[in-house]
Amino acid sequence: MTTLDQFVVTIRQLSADEKFNDLAQTLMNPSVDQLSKNIQHIDSIIATFPLPDYSMCMLACLHAIVKAPNIPDFDAYLSQVDNFIQTSSVEQVQYLPQYLCEICHVITERLRKENRARLGIPILYRAIELLRREPGQLLSIHSDLYQLCLLCQWFEPALTYLDTDIIDINRENGKFDVKHVLLAYYYGGMIYACIKQFDRAANFFENVITVPAQATSAIAIEAYKKYVLVKLISGSIPSNPLPAYTSRNVQQTITSLCTSQYTELFNIFNNRTLIQFDEFVNRHRDQYARDRNLGLIKQTRNAFIYNSIQQLTKTFLTVSLKDLANRVQLQSTSEAERYLLDMIENGQIFASINKKDGMVIFHGSPEKFDANNMLAKLQDETEKRMQAEKQLRELERQISLSKAYIQRTQQSSPYHDRPKALN
């Protein structure tokens, strides 16, 4: 019996005996791995592992294929992976989650290069459903799914997960790379920006730049650029350009690289005119084009105009369209009227326009806070916060009971290094 035959017999027996932990250790051991060394016989080996009984063995074979220098028939391999995801044993796959994730990473990159992103979305979606243990758990392949959804502008599969707050990260047997956390939130922020949920987009970009870090990643820098723009578009102008809990290294890098083109926009929004805004944007247009942020810049200009009009509602009860256009520095009364109608339709201001005499009348909010829909919204928000508090308490309990936390607190105790009393 050859070494390969002996290896196949061994892993089949471990699988039949349901010794899944031993089987996982055997498959992950590079010194005894015969699958990668005999990749030319992989199709024959796969035929000996029917699903779902030999799911872990099949997963190891699919992983060996993806580690090879090339995949001879990529479309056939995609079908194999998809069939595996739909028919495999959930229990067995949980012993080797990193194998399936690595397969999905390679598939994502290949489909991205071939401009066939849409083909991979159902596969990744089913893979996430197979691997995640609870709705709020993040996997490394979430970032792959979000990237493919962005590439083909098909957002619904991604929103299924983006709308659920993350409370746990699947460690994937210690193979999880923080890069995937950053990318998941970065791509998520871009998706929310595409569907114009700018508050949610800003929250996702903020999560990227506030991840504790000893060095600043390129992902964090790009996230900050979009964070500034979506913050301004949403009408939320923070007192500080970065949250106070941002790592010092990240703050220093962003300050040196992004202040002149992006952070300065916060100051312009608060203290400058539309003409000055346009001059600033034109001065840095090439940089915005390189960053692929011209679309957001255009929306930021609209937000600047909306913000200027909103400031007038705090000063005037009535104002002529001509005066409003002059104060906001718009080119005509018709342009001013167009912005006013957009703001009224979106509920940003409450006003009416008398076209006969060209006057704008600003009104107070007609919202009645005792309405059923408002009460339902308050109840929904209260339940979300109660659930978040419950999750935080559970996380605190888990941390306080962890061996690593107990050892660290003991080491930091003032009594830990106290000399023993002299006899």
Side-chain angles (χ1 to χ4, degrees), residues 117-186:
R118 196 177 187 90
L119 186 62
I121 290 174
I123 297 174
L124 290 175
Y125 188 93
R126 285 190 281 266
I128 292 172
E129 289 298 300
L130 176 65
L131 288 176
R132 69 172 184 164
R133 297 174 181 175
E134 57 181 324
Q137 188 175 69
L138 181 70
L139 296 156
S140 64
I141 55 177
H142 275 96
S143 63
D144 293 330
L145 175 67
Y146 302 162
Q147 181 185 19
L148 295 183
C149 288
L150 266 173
L151 288 171
C152 66
Q153 299 288 289
W154 180 19
F155 301 133
E156 287 78 7
L159 290 170
T160 303
Y161 302 111
L162 290 171
D163 289 338
T164 302
D165 290 332
I166 298 301
I167 60 173
D168 184 40
I169 294 176
N170 190 317
R171 304 297 177 184
E172 298 171 12
N173 281 344
K175 300 295 183 180
F176 195 97
D177 188 338
V178 70
K179 173 185 73 174
H180 296 296
V181 175
L182 301 178
L183 286 174
Y185 279 105
Y186 178 71

Side-chain angles (χ1 to χ4, degrees), residues 136-249:
Q137 188 175 69
L138 181 70
L139 296 156
S140 64
I141 55 177
H142 275 96
S143 63
D144 293 330
L145 175 67
Y146 302 162
Q147 181 185 19
L148 295 183
C149 288
L150 266 173
L151 288 171
C152 66
Q153 299 288 289
W154 180 19
F155 301 133
E156 287 78 7
L159 290 170
T160 303
Y161 302 111
L162 290 171
D163 289 338
T164 302
D165 290 332
I166 298 301
I167 60 173
D168 184 40
I169 294 176
N170 190 317
R171 304 297 177 184
E172 298 171 12
N173 281 344
K175 300 295 183 180
F176 195 97
D177 188 338
V178 70
K179 173 185 73 174
H180 296 296
V181 175
L182 301 178
L183 286 174
Y185 279 105
Y186 178 71
Y187 291 141
M190 291 179 68
I191 289 172
Y192 278 121
C194 287
I195 62 175
K196 300 188 182 303
Q197 291 189 24
F198 295 112
D199 285 328
R200 187 75 170 162
N203 176 258
F204 270 59
F205 291 134
E206 183 178 313
N207 285 337
V208 177
I209 61 182
T210 55
V211 168
Q214 296 297 322
T216 308
S217 69
I219 303 169
I221 294 171
E222 294 305 311
Y224 177 75
K225 295 174 181 178
K226 289 179 171 57
Y227 166 78
V228 170
L229 299 179
V230 298
K231 268 287 187 183
L232 294 174
I233 294 169
S234 68
S236 174
I237 305 174
S239 55
N240 295 313
L242 283 167
Y245 45 87
T246 307
S247 297
R248 184 180 300 275
N249 288 329

